[in-house]
Amino acid sequence: MASKLLRAVILGPPGSGKGTVCQRIAQNFGLQHLSSGHFLRENIKANTEVGDMAKQYIEKGLLVPDHVITRLMLLELENRRGEHWLLDGFPRTLVQAEALDRICDLDLVITLNIPFETLKDRLSRRWIHPPSGRVYNLDFNPPHVHGTDDVTGEPLVQQEDDKPEAVAARLRQYKDVAKPVIELYKSRGVLHQFSGTETNKIWPYVYTLFSNKITPVQSKEAY
């Protein structure tokens, strides 16, 4: 197996099970799971320069612009030059993908294609703990105590954009923005698409794909 460091990206709309797939890849293959949402929260909490810039947009209910997210993520990647990694939530746009291109060549990009109805159902059952970013699903990952976070006991909330009426607009927006990114990676020959309604059924195919690129750290497919 090649000793080259693996550079991978996962793409998928809200509710596609991206977080679960990322955790499994990290666990099975020893990749660092690099989530743009996590780094945003950390930087905002630490009052870094880039965190303060992002906070100004978030407080106004605006999307954090490309140049802020790109700067944040490229700084994080700079610190992880010697590690295998999996990017989650970045790049979201063509501008971000082109910036990433300038610093590295990706080996694998996986995209999760989940039917609209499945996404709508999953998102409507999703509750989050905003301070930590922990996500619960009432069907397959419920909190121990209804309505409260397992770790802190603080209340969970349902995001406005997880409510059914907002989901359709959110998914449309994702499709519009993601399409050129998906096309770019398709043209490079690094894109792998996985379709289905259940993460557990998609996972074995993802596992096989990564096994061909990097030796698993666990001999079994950990769930």
Side-chain angles (χ1 to χ4, degrees), residues 140-158:
F140 49 82
N141 174 35
H144 296 318
V145 177
H146 185 72
T148 57
D149 177 50
D150 289 349
V151 178
T152 63
E154 292 168 351
L156 301 176
V157 299
Q158 185 169 44

Side-chain angles (χ1 to χ4, degrees), residues 37-110:
H38 170 75
F39 291 134
L40 259 180
R41 283 189 295 275
E42 292 290 297
N43 276 269
I44 289 168
K45 211 188 291 178
N47 294 115
T48 64
E49 188 191 346
V50 73
D52 287 343
M53 285 166 76
K55 192 177 178 180
Q56 290 170 17
Y57 292 95
I58 291 167
E59 282 176 346
K60 292 175 189 153
L62 302 169
L63 281 176
V64 180
D66 285 333
H67 71 275
V68 178
I69 283 283
T70 299
R71 188 169 154 202
L72 170 78
M73 293 307 288
L74 297 191
L75 280 169
E76 294 292 346
L77 293 176
E78 186 64 32
N79 298 332
R80 290 170 171 76
R81 282 184 158 182
E83 300 171 2
H84 297 288
W85 48 247
L86 170 67
L87 279 174
D88 167 17
F90 179 87
R92 274 186 208 275
T93 67
L94 195 53
V95 171
Q96 293 174 15
E98 286 164 348
L100 181 60
D101 261 4
R102 289 194 280 277
I103 65 152
C104 71
D105 291 321
L106 293 174
D107 303 295
L108 278 184
V109 177
I110 65 176

Side-chain angles (χ1 to χ4, degrees), residues 2-9 25 29 31-32 80 83-87 105-108 209-215:
S3 59
K4 180 184 175 296
L5 290 168
L6 190 71
R7 304 283 178 246
V9 165
I25 292 169
F29 297 98
L31 272 74
Q32 292 293 320
R80 290 170 171 76
E83 300 171 2
H84 297 288
W85 48 247
L86 170 67
L87 279 174
D105 291 321
L106 293 174
D107 303 295
L108 278 184
L209 174 68
F210 274 82
S211 301
N212 290 331
K213 295 275 182 188
I214 183 171
T215 310

